Amino acid sequence: MPPSAASSTVAQAAAVAAPAAAVAPAAPKPAPKPVHANHAKILAVTPIKETVSEPKQVCHQEQVVHQAPVQDNNRIAGSVIGGVVGGLLGNQVGGGNGKKAATVLGALAGGLAGNKVQEGMQERDQVASTRTICNTENVDKEKVVGYNVRYSLDGKTGTVRMDQKPEGKTLPAKDGKLLI
């Protein structure tokens, strides 16, 4: 091998053994920003219900019986009618002065009896009227207090509680988060 051939072989061997001149590594490229959806798809809306007790006024009509107002507190009509009837009956008894005494006694007894009869009638004289009776009762009632909304955003599912039922089929989103 001629001397020039030997040096060429050594140079080739060195080139194979030694890597090529070090090339500066390329500057790292910034990672691309992830692309997020502008809207989350609503998968389900479930109302959240709560039982609340609310007062409610309940009224009903009731018939009430009470004593009728008395027109004649002294029961004069009963006394007069009883006295007349008693006097007529007393007049039928006896003769002479005895007849007069029987008429007076009959009138007195009849007046007393008529007074008592009218008193009994007034006590039994009743009037019926209707009155309204109201009570406050607690009534249990189911009330919607919010909504659980299940959604899908960027391939992931989640649930959020909302006060109002969402309108439409999507929820607004930005940078992978809901805008609510």
Side-chain angles (χ1 to χ4, degrees):
M1 232 197 257
S4 66
S7 65
S8 152
T9 306
V10 173
Q12 283 179 352
V16 171
V23 177
K29 292 183 182 177
K33 279 188 163 182
V35 177
H36 297 290
N38 290 337
H39 291 87
K41 181 180 179 186
I42 296 175
L43 302 174
V45 177
T46 308
I48 302 167
K49 295 181 180 179
E50 188 177 276
T51 301
V52 293
S53 186
E54 294 181 351
K56 180 180 179 184
Q57 190 173 26
V58 179
C59 299
H60 66 279
Q61 300 290 321
E62 187 175 281
Q63 192 167 25
V64 180
V65 178
H66 51 87
Q67 187 173 353
V70 176
Q71 301 294 327
D72 182 8
N73 284 329
N74 295 323
R75 299 178 292 278
I76 295 172
S79 299
V80 169
I81 293 172
V84 170
V85 171
L88 288 175
L89 290 174
N91 192 27
Q92 302 298 320
V93 177
N97 284 339
K99 192 173 200 166
K100 289 179 187 178
T103 302
V104 169
L105 284 177
L108 288 174
L112 183 61
N115 186 293
K116 289 295 180 185
V117 167
Q118 185 176 357
E119 180 182 19
M121 288 174 61
Q122 286 176 345
E123 287 175 359
R124 289 186 303 274
D125 189 15
Q126 295 181 341
V127 176
S129 64
T130 303
R131 70 177 178 177
T132 302
I133 298 175
C134 296
N135 297 315
T136 301
E137 297 177 0
N138 286 329
V139 178
D140 288 341
K141 187 177 181 181
E142 271 196 353
K143 183 178 179 182
V144 175
V145 294
Y147 296 88
N148 279 332
V149 180
R150 206 169 112 237
Y151 64 91
S152 173
L153 177 62
D154 293 338
K156 297 177 184 174
T157 59
T159 303
V160 65
R161 182 177 177 160
M162 297 178 69
D163 293 335
Q164 300 292 323
K165 186 175 183 178
E167 295 180 18
K169 297 179 182 181
T170 61
L171 296 172
K174 183 177 182 182
D175 297 330
K177 295 181 182 174
L178 292 180
L179 295 175
I180 54 171

